[in-house]
Amino acid sequence: MSLRTAQRASLVDQVIDQLKEQITSGSWPMNGKIPTETVLAEQLGVGRNTVREAVRALTHAGLLECRQGDGTYVRATSELSGAMLRRLRQAEQLEILEVRRALEVESARLAATRRTEEDIRRIEAALAERERAWDLDDPDFFVEADLAFHMAVAHATHNLVLIDLYEDFSAALRASITAAGTSLNKSYIPHDAIARAIAAGDAAAAERAGHACMEHILIALTES
């Protein structure tokens, strides 16, 4: 009995690892629907109960979300991201923005001291896309473009922990960017000063520019 239990647990763990690989590699994109239980069982050569247990475990970890009558969707790309999502559902918007300020101001400062020529090109391209999204008056596009700009800055720090943390925080950032855009009542917050300071290698100026942008958002939120 004990041996059979261990074998079953091991099989479920193997399926969990394979499903997790599909998520972390991007084969199953964020917010996308994963294959059905029947399809997964056939592809993996295991029983549906094994797949069901693996999906349940990943749902509990926050990586997947089961929607009754619809299917199962990817909600996070790591256990940390899943745990963060669960925690941030109970957080106030101001709390999320305060954490976002800490991450983005430090990212800008570090990026200015560590960026490469490729990082500068990536940041400038992201900035141009952000401005294009604003001009198109497409809120969803703008949220993704704004997040992509800040993600480009985070990558320019070459601090792997900070990059992972920012990526795991990204779902909450999407919500905060959307809320901030509503609160700011169509007021555009330029980010070119951040990009210029990073390109110039001026850490102090990058920190000031990042702080000024976030203060603008925080003030608007508290006054709304």
Side-chain angles (χ1 to χ4, degrees):
M1 181 66 175
S2 176
L3 181 59
R4 286 196 298 273
T5 301
Q7 289 176 332
R8 179 172 179 75
S10 176
L11 184 58
V12 172
D13 287 342
Q14 290 177 45
V15 173
I16 289 172
D17 288 342
Q18 292 191 64
L19 300 187
K20 194 183 298 181
E21 173 62 25
Q22 296 298 303
I23 296 170
T24 57
S25 69
S27 296
W28 292 346
M30 181 74 73
N31 299 318
K33 184 189 290 189
I34 73 170
T36 65
E37 188 178 280
T38 301
V39 170
L40 288 173
E42 291 176 354
Q43 291 178 343
L44 293 165
V46 299
R48 290 179 60 183
N49 285 341
T50 301
V51 172
R52 190 174 299 125
E53 287 185 40
V55 169
R56 186 181 298 120
L58 291 173
T59 300
H60 181 72
L63 275 69
L64 297 176
E65 177 186 9
C66 294
R67 301 177 188 174
Q68 192 67 33
D70 185 8
T72 302
Y73 290 79
V74 177
R75 292 289 292 139
T77 56
S78 71
E79 288 89 344
L80 175 59
S81 181
M84 197 174 292
L85 268 174
R86 290 196 301 274
R87 174 62 187 88
L88 293 176
R89 285 194 189 104
Q90 286 81 47
E92 296 291 334
Q93 192 64 39
L94 179 60
E95 294 176 324
I96 294 172
L97 285 170
E98 286 172 343
V99 174
R100 182 184 168 195
R101 174 176 58 183
L103 285 172
E104 292 185 0
V105 171
E106 181 62 8
S107 290
R109 187 185 71 80
L110 288 175
T113 65
R114 302 175 180 177
R115 84 288 183 274
T116 64
E117 290 301 317
E118 178 58 31
D119 290 327
I120 293 172
R121 286 192 290 271
R122 190 179 297 114
I123 290 170
E124 290 176 345
L127 177 64
E129 190 73 350
R130 182 181 185 271
E131 292 174 346
R132 187 170 78 88
W134 182 265
D135 290 338
L136 290 172
D137 196 24
D138 184 334
D140 292 335
F141 181 24
F142 180 75
V143 167
E144 292 303 320
D146 185 82
L147 187 56
F149 171 82
H150 292 291
M151 195 70 247
V153 172
H155 275 283
T157 69
H158 297 277
N159 180 317
L160 298 182
V161 175
L162 191 152
I163 293 167
D164 286 346
L165 183 59
Y166 200 92
E167 287 180 340
D168 288 332
F169 199 56
S170 63
L173 289 182
R174 283 183 176 86
S176 77
I177 293 168
T178 301
T182 301
S183 300
L184 290 172
N185 209 19
K186 292 286 184 180
S187 176
Y188 184 66
I189 303 175
H191 282 19
D192 53 309
I194 299 174
R196 284 198 308 270
I198 291 172
D202 190 335
E207 183 176 359
R208 287 194 302 271
H211 190 271
C213 287
M214 289 307 304
E215 281 301 299
H216 191 158
I217 295 174
L218 284 163
I219 291 170
L221 180 66
T222 54
E223 290 179 349
S224 61

